[in-house]
Amino acid sequence: MQIPPLDPNVADLAPAGPAPTSYDEEHVVTYIRLLQAEGEGADWREVARIVLHIDPECEPDRARNAYQSHLARAKWMTEHGRLLRGTGSN
C-alpha cells in the first residue's frame, strides 16, 4: 500500500461495500481523523468543515450525509476493513 494523502478531498458519500476499496485506502487518514474527533466529542459541523472540507452552513444536508457516511465507514474499517490492524498480508 502506498502512503495515503494527508488531506484528500472526499466524495459526498463514503463507500458502503463489503470490502475495502482504493477510496478507503486513500482516505485512511480521513477516517482516523473522524474517529479521533468523535472520541474527543467534537461537533460534527466543525469536523465536516475541517476534515471533509464541506461547509455545513452552506450545504447542511451534504455536510451531514458526508460526515455520517464517512464516520460509519471509518468504524466499519476498524471492525472489518483492517484499518489500524495493518493492511499487509501475514
Side-chain angles (χ1 to χ4, degrees):
M1 181 172 117
Q2 296 179 349
I3 296 174
L6 293 179
D7 200 18
N9 290 326
V10 298
D12 286 351
L13 295 174
T21 66
S22 59
Y23 182 92
D24 293 321
E25 290 179 8
E26 182 179 316
H27 289 82
V28 166
V29 174
T30 302
Y31 295 155
I32 292 169
R33 292 176 72 196
L34 289 169
L35 293 167
Q36 287 176 330
E38 183 190 46
E40 294 170 2
D43 184 285
W44 74 268
R45 291 172 287 266
E46 189 73 11
V47 177
R49 182 178 293 109
I50 294 170
V51 178
L52 304 179
H53 311 290
I54 302 172
D55 186 342
E57 300 298 321
C58 295
E59 299 179 281
D61 292 337
R62 178 176 174 242
R64 183 68 170 181
N65 290 336
Y67 172 78
Q68 289 176 332
S69 74
H70 282 82
L71 181 59
R73 189 63 171 186
K75 290 178 179 181
W76 179 86
M77 288 289 290
T78 62
E79 297 165 4
H80 305 287
R82 301 184 60 125
L83 178 66
L84 304 179
R85 293 190 300 168
T87 56
S89 301
N90 290 348

